[in-house]
Amino acid sequence: MNFPKLTFEPVWKEQLLCSCELGSFSLSIPLDLSVVDFPTEEVWREKAPEWARPHGAAIYSQLKEWCESRNIPLYVGPYGWVY
């Protein structure tokens, strides 16, 4: 199954809203959108919406492309959080 195309939108309270036809979730970002933090695999498995858990690689790939097109660094690590 090809994962649906995501849209990314910075929203209030330091969150990046990630949406597609399957649902939505938010990632943590600083107020100035100077970097996007993606969670580690462990955090992703525990905190991501159930529908999104098996698609972490596809989601990361789309997010990476979005960040690169805007010259925003993307990091994977302990500060990444998914809501």
Side-chain angles (χ1 to χ4, degrees), residues 30-56:
L31 282 173
D32 62 358
L33 192 61
S34 59
V35 64
V36 174
D37 293 312
F38 196 78
T40 62
E41 286 186 40
E42 181 180 346
V43 172
W44 182 261
R45 283 192 307 269
E46 291 176 17
K47 302 294 184 181
E50 191 171 331
W51 62 266
R53 288 178 189 166
H55 305 289

Side-chain angles (χ1 to χ4, degrees), residues 5-81:
K5 181 75 175 154
L6 286 163
T7 60
F8 302 100
E9 178 184 359
V11 294
W12 186 64
K13 287 197 174 181
E14 302 180 350
Q15 295 179 14
L16 180 66
L17 181 63
C18 309
S19 304
C20 70
E21 62 191 45
L22 299 176
S24 64
F25 57 90
S26 293
L27 298 173
S28 57
I29 59 172
L31 282 173
D32 62 358
L33 192 61
S34 59
V35 64
V36 174
D37 293 312
F38 196 78
T40 62
E41 286 186 40
E42 181 180 346
V43 172
W44 182 261
R45 283 192 307 269
E46 291 176 17
K47 302 294 184 181
E50 191 171 331
W51 62 266
R53 288 178 189 166
H55 305 289
I59 291 167
Y60 176 83
S61 178
Q62 288 187 39
L63 178 61
K64 181 178 179 186
E65 187 176 306
W66 183 85
C67 287
E68 286 175 351
S69 73
R70 287 157 179 79
N71 294 318
I72 301 170
L74 172 61
Y75 297 110
V76 176
Y79 300 110
W81 202 253

